[in-house]
Amino acid sequence: MTSIRRSRESVVRRAFRASSSDLSLRVVRGASFAAAGMIVRIGITLMSMAILARLLSPADFGHVVMANVVTELAFVFSSFGLGEIIIQRKRLTRLQLDTVWWTSLAIGAVLTVLVACASFLSAALFANPVSGELLRVLCLVFLLDQLTVVPNSLLSRLLMFRQLFVVQIAMLVSRAASAIALALWGAGVWSLVWAAVIGSLAQLLVCTWLAGFRPRWRFTAAFLMSTWRTNGSYFSSGLLFYLSMNMDLAMVGRTLGAASLGYFQAARGLADDISARIAVPLQRVLFPAFSSIQDDMARFRFGVIRSGRLLALVTIPVGFGIAAVAEELVNILYGAQWLPMIALLKIIAPAAGLRAATTVSRPVFQAMNQVALSLKLSLASTLLLAFLLIAASPWGLQGFALAYVANSLFMLVILAVSARLVGIGIRELCEALAPPLVAAMLMYAAVIAVRWQIEATGLGAGLRFVVFTLTGIFVYCLSISLIARRHLGDVRDVISRILAK
């Protein structure tokens, strides 16, 4: 027990100065844990969703999405980049960590009260009183999440991804298990709400224990004042990200109602899981890794282009694959009451895969301390999305889905700008993205061709899903082996490093 306590206490001391020693091995380890977390997260999410979709109605999910539009706005006001500053800075002091902890506590407490008060106004926004009732419980999540900022950032700064993996699993399992248990008990929409609170509490307890950080009664306003420009940029970027991710939800909920919003969010959420479950964990590995080598541009550039190739190799085919088997996927996971989301999934999923492949740009902007430039690009993306949503609104759910696709293409521009910061040109980006895209399109065409051949055989949804999935994997792997030798070299190198550790 004493050795465990000393190990946890050493986390804080080692975090005072970022180190790039053994960086390659640590990044590979981090990527392996990120991949494991991705697989577990996807598995838990899909299994719990398959159960909850049959226990709850589309309207139940729609009510929660309406409440989340408000909570995610509140999360913007917690996004002052305090955690990112802990990760990005070359040197830290214990006083600065204490300052960030007390500041996060204050932000969490204020937001909890504000969201509870704002819950009484949410009924007017969506013409739906249920969302307000849900918000009066969901507001607790803000306090819990803010208390996790410092310990989570310490673990990320030190590339302690094994510990972060444990934190993630604890949160996922507690949230999924509590949601299913409450739904079986008959709690209805409240099962989703209390599960969110329970998951955040589990995350806080496990993360705090592993990091071993205990705040002291110390605070320095000078440190906060020295970071106000960076904080403002993170806040503005967070606000724009909120608008880009919630404008379509607000318009669908307001104009088409809770049930339609449930279908739309289920389709977009399943497709966006490509980003949230695959790309975002990799971002958490890359940001601290890039930050530790920000002065070594050659290593930085190599890391960015290799990360981009590997990310595209995985996310793009997943997006096209979801679209190819959308009919079977919805029937298996969600059931007959969710069939209207099939058409939406076919539109959104390929764009989500391509969008996820561009997320390597975010850790580049962060590590290079170019948050202001990222803010300008996010503003352009948000304005474009607003125009697209207005133009597409007469076409209902399909129109909103097409607006999502068009806005996703703009992410390629943002990726190109971030690449230029480290000297990567358009040709190198095309060499990273084009082979997986071409192979994914061939895979999609092969699945459609097989579908035509077996359409009249009467196979069930489960067997069709297996046939289509195996066909897609075979065609994609064959295509990649012929047209993406460099990508395969990256995979072999990563696997060899994982096995060698």
Side-chain angles (χ1 to χ4, degrees), residues 5-141:
R5 186 181 299 110
R6 289 175 179 173
S7 175
R8 287 162 47 217
E9 290 174 351
S10 68
V11 171
V12 179
R13 292 195 297 269
R14 287 188 287 123
F16 292 156
R17 184 186 180 104
S19 173
S20 61
S21 61
D22 298 323
L23 180 64
S24 179
L25 179 59
R26 288 192 290 161
V27 169
V28 170
R29 287 176 176 172
S32 64
F33 278 109
M38 170 198 73
I39 295 171
V40 173
R41 189 179 188 111
I42 291 176
I44 293 175
T45 300
L46 293 180
M47 286 189 293
S48 61
M49 189 63 200
I51 297 172
L52 292 171
R54 288 163 172 80
L55 296 174
L56 304 174
S57 70
D60 288 331
F61 288 91
H63 292 312
V64 173
V65 173
M66 290 178 182
N68 285 342
V69 170
V70 178
T71 59
E72 289 185 16
L73 176 59
F75 272 120
V76 171
F77 290 92
S78 68
S79 301
F80 287 99
L82 296 175
E84 286 81 358
I85 289 172
I86 291 176
I87 297 172
Q88 196 270 341
R89 287 211 164 194
K90 294 181 180 179
R91 294 186 179 183
L92 286 172
T93 67
R94 179 57 196 252
L95 178 58
Q96 291 170 345
L97 293 177
D98 293 330
T99 300
V100 171
W101 194 92
W102 290 108
T103 303
S104 299
L105 173 62
I107 292 173
V110 170
L111 288 176
T112 298
V113 174
L114 290 178
V115 171
C117 296
S119 66
F120 297 97
L121 302 177
S122 64
L125 176 62
F126 292 106
N128 189 311
V130 177
S131 61
E133 298 172 7
L134 304 182
L135 283 170
R136 288 190 278 279
V137 174
L138 282 171
C139 65
L140 298 174
V141 172

Side-chain angles (χ1 to χ4, degrees), residues 26-302:
R26 288 192 290 161
V27 169
V28 170
R29 287 176 176 172
S32 64
F33 278 109
M38 170 198 73
I39 295 171
V40 173
R41 189 179 188 111
I42 291 176
I44 293 175
T45 300
L46 293 180
M47 286 189 293
S48 61
M49 189 63 200
I51 297 172
L52 292 171
R54 288 163 172 80
L55 296 174
L56 304 174
S57 70
D60 288 331
F61 288 91
H63 292 312
V64 173
V65 173
M66 290 178 182
N68 285 342
V69 170
V70 178
T71 59
E72 289 185 16
L73 176 59
F75 272 120
V76 171
F77 290 92
S78 68
S79 301
F80 287 99
L82 296 175
E84 286 81 358
I85 289 172
I86 291 176
I87 297 172
Q88 196 270 341
R89 287 211 164 194
K90 294 181 180 179
R91 294 186 179 183
L92 286 172
T93 67
R94 179 57 196 252
L95 178 58
Q96 291 170 345
L97 293 177
D98 293 330
T99 300
V100 171
W101 194 92
W102 290 108
T103 303
S104 299
L105 173 62
I107 292 173
V110 170
L111 288 176
T112 298
V113 174
L114 290 178
V115 171
C117 296
S119 66
F120 297 97
L121 302 177
S122 64
L125 176 62
F126 292 106
N128 189 311
V130 177
S131 61
E133 298 172 7
L134 304 182
L135 283 170
R136 288 190 278 279
V137 174
L138 282 171
C139 65
L140 298 174
V141 172
F142 293 96
L143 182 60
L144 298 173
D145 284 357
Q146 282 299 302
L147 294 177
T148 313
V149 168
V150 171
N152 185 76
S153 299
L154 288 174
L155 296 177
S156 296
R157 177 179 174 86
L158 294 174
L159 301 175
M160 299 177 66
F161 297 106
R162 184 195 304 270
Q163 290 79 355
L164 289 171
F165 174 77
V166 174
V167 173
Q168 182 184 39
I169 298 305
M171 184 269 292
L172 288 171
V173 171
S174 60
R175 186 173 64 186
S178 58
I180 294 172
L182 288 169
L184 288 170
W185 186 53
V189 66
W190 290 100
S191 60
L192 300 174
V193 174
W194 281 110
V197 176
I198 293 170
S200 293
L201 178 60
Q203 175 181 251
L204 169 62
L205 295 176
V206 176
C207 191
T208 299
W209 185 79
L210 290 174
F213 177 79
R214 301 294 184 271
R216 298 174 180 175
W217 292 94
R218 302 192 305 169
F219 184 88
T220 171
F223 172 65
L224 293 181
M225 294 299 295
S226 69
T227 64
W228 71 271
R229 289 183 182 275
T230 302
N231 294 340
S233 296
Y234 276 114
F235 169 75
S236 301
S237 296
L239 180 60
L240 292 173
F241 180 77
Y242 162 81
L243 292 174
S244 66
M245 295 302 293
N246 289 277
M247 273 194 293
D248 53 353
L249 301 180
M251 291 185 69
V252 172
R254 178 69 181 177
T255 59
L256 302 178
S260 293
L261 180 56
Y263 296 132
F264 184 82
Q265 171 56 15
R268 204 194 77 174
L270 182 60
D272 277 344
D273 271 352
I274 302 169
S275 176
R277 311 303 190 220
I278 299 176
V280 171
L282 183 59
Q283 286 182 14
R284 293 171 182 163
V285 177
L286 295 180
F287 176 28
F290 288 167
S291 295
S292 65
I293 57 171
Q294 55 188 286
D295 295 328
D296 189 341
M297 190 54 64
R299 293 176 69 191
F300 198 159
R301 180 179 179 278
F302 177 77

Side-chain angles (χ1 to χ4, degrees), residues 170-492:
M171 184 269 292
L172 288 171
V173 171
S174 60
R175 186 173 64 186
S178 58
I180 294 172
L182 288 169
L184 288 170
W185 186 53
V189 66
W190 290 100
S191 60
L192 300 174
V193 174
W194 281 110
V197 176
I198 293 170
S200 293
L201 178 60
Q203 175 181 251
L204 169 62
L205 295 176
V206 176
C207 191
T208 299
W209 185 79
L210 290 174
F213 177 79
R214 301 294 184 271
R216 298 174 180 175
W217 292 94
R218 302 192 305 169
F219 184 88
T220 171
F223 172 65
L224 293 181
M225 294 299 295
S226 69
T227 64
W228 71 271
R229 289 183 182 275
T230 302
N231 294 340
S233 296
Y234 276 114
F235 169 75
S236 301
S237 296
L239 180 60
L240 292 173
F241 180 77
Y242 162 81
L243 292 174
S244 66
M245 295 302 293
N246 289 277
M247 273 194 293
D248 53 353
L249 301 180
M251 291 185 69
V252 172
R254 178 69 181 177
T255 59
L256 302 178
S260 293
L261 180 56
Y263 296 132
F264 184 82
Q265 171 56 15
R268 204 194 77 174
L270 182 60
D272 277 344
D273 271 352
I274 302 169
S275 176
R277 311 303 190 220
I278 299 176
V280 171
L282 183 59
Q283 286 182 14
R284 293 171 182 163
V285 177
L286 295 180
F287 176 28
F290 288 167
S291 295
S292 65
I293 57 171
Q294 55 188 286
D295 295 328
D296 189 341
M297 190 54 64
R299 293 176 69 191
F300 198 159
R301 180 179 179 278
F302 177 77
V304 171
I305 195 64
R306 167 169 280 192
S307 300
R309 287 197 297 260
L310 291 171
L311 194 57
L313 192 67
V314 176
T315 63
I316 293 177
V318 171
F320 278 83
I322 289 176
V325 298
E327 181 179 340
E328 290 72 26
L329 203 56
V330 171
N331 275 286
I332 294 171
L333 290 180
Y334 296 86
Q337 63 175 334
W338 292 87
L339 294 182
M341 69 177 281
I342 294 175
L344 302 176
L345 199 56
K346 290 181 178 180
I347 298 172
I348 292 174
L354 185 60
R355 187 186 190 111
T358 69
T359 55
V360 70
S361 62
R362 180 175 175 83
V364 173
F365 286 124
Q366 290 174 319
M368 294 291 290
N369 200 22
Q370 291 289 336
V371 183
L373 176 58
S374 176
L375 173 62
K376 294 177 183 178
L377 294 169
S378 297
L379 176 60
S381 175
T382 303
L383 293 175
L384 174 62
L385 178 60
F387 169 78
L388 292 170
L389 289 173
I390 294 173
S393 58
W395 286 271
L397 287 176
Q398 283 74 20
F400 290 123
L402 290 172
Y404 173 93
V405 173
N407 186 251
S408 297
L409 297 177
F410 186 74
M411 298 299 106
L412 294 172
V413 176
I414 296 179
L415 175 64
V417 173
S418 70
R420 292 295 298 173
L421 293 176
V422 293
I424 297 173
I426 299 297
R427 180 177 177 178
E428 289 175 286
L429 284 181
C430 291
E431 291 174 349
L433 297 178
L437 180 60
V438 171
M441 294 173 68
L442 292 173
M443 173 193 70
Y444 184 88
V447 172
I448 297 302
V450 173
R451 181 184 295 277
W452 288 342
Q453 295 298 319
I454 69 172
E455 209 168 41
T457 61
L459 288 179
L463 289 177
R464 292 202 308 273
F465 179 79
V466 172
V467 171
F468 297 153
T469 300
L470 293 177
T471 300
I473 292 174
F474 173 77
V475 173
Y476 182 74
C477 291
L478 178 62
S479 302
I480 285 295
S481 67
L482 296 175
I483 64 176
R485 299 294 179 86
R486 184 173 294 180
H487 293 68
L488 291 179
D490 292 333
V491 173
R492 285 193 294 268

